[in-house]
Amino acid sequence: MCGIVGYVGPREAQPLILEGLRRLEYRGYDSAGIATIHEGSLDVRKAAGKIVELEGRLEESPLVGSHGIGHTRWATHGAPTTINAHPHTDGSDRVALVHNGIIENHDVLRIKLEELGHEFRSETDTEVLCHIIEELFDGNLEDAVAEALSHVEGAYGIAVIHADEPGKIVVARMGSPLLIGIGENGEREMFAASDVAAVVRHTRQVIYLNDGEMAVLTADGHSLLDISESGNGEAPRRVSREVSRVDWDLGQIERGGYEHFMLKEIFEQPDTIRDAMRGRLLEEEGTAKLGGLLPLEDVLENVERIVITACGTSWHAAIVGEYMIEELARIPVEVEYASEFRYRRPIVRDGTLVIAISQSGETADTLAAMREARSRGAPIMGIVNVVGSSIARETDGGVYIHSGPEIGVASTKAFTGQLTVLALFALYLARRRGMSLLEGREFVAAMRQLPELVRLSLDESSAIESIAREYADNANFLYLGRGFNFPVALEGALKLKEISYIHAEGYPAAEMKHGPIALIDQNMPVVFIAPSDSVYHKVTSNIEEVKARGGKVIA
Ligand code: BG6
């Protein structure tokens, strides 16, 4: 996952951009680079590998200038080499550009540019944009960028500088997050970033760009433009947007004594679950108060079918949501991968509510699925963590999970935050559809206990760690659960794959006998999720089946 940082103002750009890139390291990357402009000339340093490699180059040969852009790249087109690292430049070394996303028609554009005599240095899709801007530049960078983008198909968040336009950064967005940060405390400076973590140390005043928008940044200010119609020959239209205030503090995006962010975030869960419920549980009425759903009140009164769309961990949370809503509120629910939903012809009839779940609020497939649903007339609700994110802005109503910044790319506290909000939502619907006051009050009382129960589980961490050490050399794992814990088993297997690079599969426990049982022997540890719930005895029978085949059980 790539990262973008830009700076223009009175300070030296290199250290500020480097610091911003370090804040984005958690997203994973395989090369990095920075470009600045000084006294009318463009200078670039890039390195494959970690940011320390780039720092090494900058120590040997520092960049000067108070105006520049930087990038961390996760290779998609072309190997993770120094040449393929961003920023990319044009043939005359006047334009430098960083890009997140994929230019889908880069092949065609490249051939046309080569016919015009442009020579390419890298294997990336991004480089075509530099050459198009070079071709179109006529003294005004924003005009060249707007026109260049009208030739591009695909997704982008970009930041561009030009040696002939000192003190200016042009940024634009289509399907890949981008924001601008406005200097605080009277500082005449501006930042650009793909993630607020990169700038929050210097400013909390940010503007999130929407798809089809471009912003021109100088030390003195910014202008925001709608360029979505530039392809039809229309001039960019000025847009005004309120400045959002980021309410995170630096401590939330630092590790706070933990070895890594994921561990910190796992241990934050008693607090984040409490925060997800704060002010939302009504003891007396035995229900939940969800203010963000007010605009959807009529829809929820008449809803006949719910479709939940999401990716990854959020998709697993959606399945738990499906089980809860169907069991408690008796409303049919379907869960669909956003990447599938967006490319099908999904059926959306009157009475269908579509819910998008996303930690970041920026996942491209989820955003596209939502837009597909909207184009078919569905009302859209969001369950999102990042306040002011694209998904949050484009829904008709929704519920924030209030988990705070989740820096670890593998979602943890956001998953339990999503489950908490889905439980509140299921309760809210159920109380309107037949759940008794007494049942509602019991549900509220049970939810109140959640943070403490999670804390007790976390108290077991050293025992869990010693089990993990014992099994760390195994190459395959099975995760099994039934009912609500079937999707939890899927999530457990995803976490193991994503974090440990160990192959793991999640199954409904009873499905094991229909195939996967053939794999079970002493080399296949099986993780059972078996709380004392209505299917506990069924799960213990499955445990016996595994033991009978010599499998190792972790329960
Ligand atoms: C993936 C992450 O890229 O995106 C997963 O690796 C995450 O951990 C998924 O669950 C969906 O992200 P989001 O922000 O839409 O919940």
Side-chain angles (χ1 to χ4, degrees), residues 1 27 309-316 357-367 383-386 391 406 408-412 414-415 418 491 494-495 498:
M1 271 152 282
R27 303 185 65 84
T309 189
C311 303
T313 293
S314 300
W315 185 81
H316 295 148
I357 304 184
S358 174
Q359 185 286 123
S360 60
E362 299 292 350
T363 303
D365 282 327
T366 310
L367 197 53
I383 295 179
V384 174
N385 188 32
V386 178
I391 292 177
E406 189 171 64
V409 171
S411 186
T412 54
F415 178 66
Q418 290 162 346
E491 174 60 10
L494 177 68
K495 286 279 97 77
E498 212 173 359

Side-chain angles (χ1 to χ4, degrees), residues 394-416:
E394 290 193 28
T395 51
D396 300 304
V399 190
Y400 281 119
I401 64 172
H402 294 310
S403 299
E406 189 171 64
I407 307 286
V409 171
S411 186
T412 54
K413 62 175 180 174
F415 178 66
T416 47

Side-chain angles (χ1 to χ4, degrees), residues 35-317:
T36 58
I37 287 170
H38 183 58
E39 294 179 348
S41 66
L42 179 71
D43 224 351
V44 183
R45 305 280 181 279
K46 315 200 269 192
K50 292 290 163 196
I51 287 177
V52 290
E53 306 294 331
L54 175 65
E55 281 173 320
R57 292 205 181 180
L58 290 166
E59 263 164 42
E60 283 162 23
S61 166
L63 285 170
V64 276
S66 56
H67 158 222
I69 53 177
H71 192 258
T72 46
R73 171 176 188 250
W74 182 269
T76 54
H77 286 70
T81 58
T82 299
I83 287 189
N84 288 335
H86 300 212
H88 288 286
T89 49
D90 65 326
S92 62
D93 284 330
R94 306 298 286 165
V95 180
L97 181 144
V98 293
H99 166 223
N100 290 353
I102 294 174
I103 310 288
E104 284 166 3
N105 58 339
H106 69 104
D107 283 347
V108 186
L109 295 172
R110 195 176 180 121
I111 292 168
K112 282 192 196 156
L113 286 158
E114 279 170 345
E115 281 168 7
L116 291 171
H118 291 259
E119 283 179 24
F120 284 78
R121 297 169 181 150
S122 77
E123 304 158 291
T124 64
D125 53 329
T126 301
E127 197 186 334
V128 294
L129 261 173
C130 305
H131 293 270
I132 306 177
I133 294 168
E134 175 187 12
E135 196 63 40
L136 297 170
F137 184 75
D138 193 12
N140 181 300
L141 184 57
E142 55 269 39
D143 287 352
V145 172
E147 198 183 333
L149 291 173
S150 72
H151 297 283
V152 156
E153 286 162 23
Y156 53 79
I158 56 165
V160 197
I161 53 177
H162 196 296
D164 293 352
E165 290 254 53
K168 185 189 276 184
I169 304 177
V170 175
V171 297
R173 163 192 171 138
M174 178 62 77
S176 195
L178 207 75
L179 60 95
I180 58 182
I182 301 165
E184 282 184 326
N185 309 321
E187 290 286 0
R188 288 170 53 206
E189 60 185 3
M190 297 289 292
F191 297 83
S194 51
D195 184 324
V196 76
V199 301
V200 76
R201 176 151 176 243
H202 303 285
T203 178
R204 284 155 192 287
Q205 314 276 352
V206 300
I207 292 179
Y208 296 96
L209 266 69
N210 286 337
D211 281 349
E213 288 179 351
M214 178 174 86
V216 184
L217 315 183
T218 63
D220 293 322
H222 67 276
S223 56
L224 190 59
L225 302 159
D226 179 345
I227 55 163
S228 55
E229 295 299 325
S230 335
N232 303 328
E234 301 233 351
R237 195 173 47 83
R238 265 187 177 269
V239 179
S240 63
R241 168 94 21 85
E242 252 179 60
V243 175
S244 308
R245 192 171 163 77
V246 179
D247 56 6
W248 302 352
D249 60 51
L250 261 189
Q252 284 180 292
I253 58 164
E254 283 171 351
R255 279 183 290 145
Y258 285 94
E259 221 175 305
H260 45 75
F261 281 110
M262 187 169 162
L263 202 57
K264 178 186 177 218
E265 288 159 7
I266 286 170
F267 278 91
E268 280 172 1
Q269 287 175 106
D271 293 330
T272 51
I273 291 172
R274 200 174 285 113
D275 290 342
M277 296 192 287
R278 197 178 298 282
R280 290 171 167 171
L281 284 174
L282 302 179
E283 249 96 25
E284 271 302 300
E285 295 92 327
T287 189
K289 187 175 108 196
L290 300 166
L293 296 186
L294 268 178
L296 287 166
E297 199 142 341
D298 288 345
V299 171
L300 293 171
E301 197 58 48
N302 300 309
V303 63
E304 286 166 17
R305 170 179 171 250
I306 294 174
V307 177
I308 313 183
T309 189
C311 303
T313 293
S314 300
W315 185 81
H316 295 148

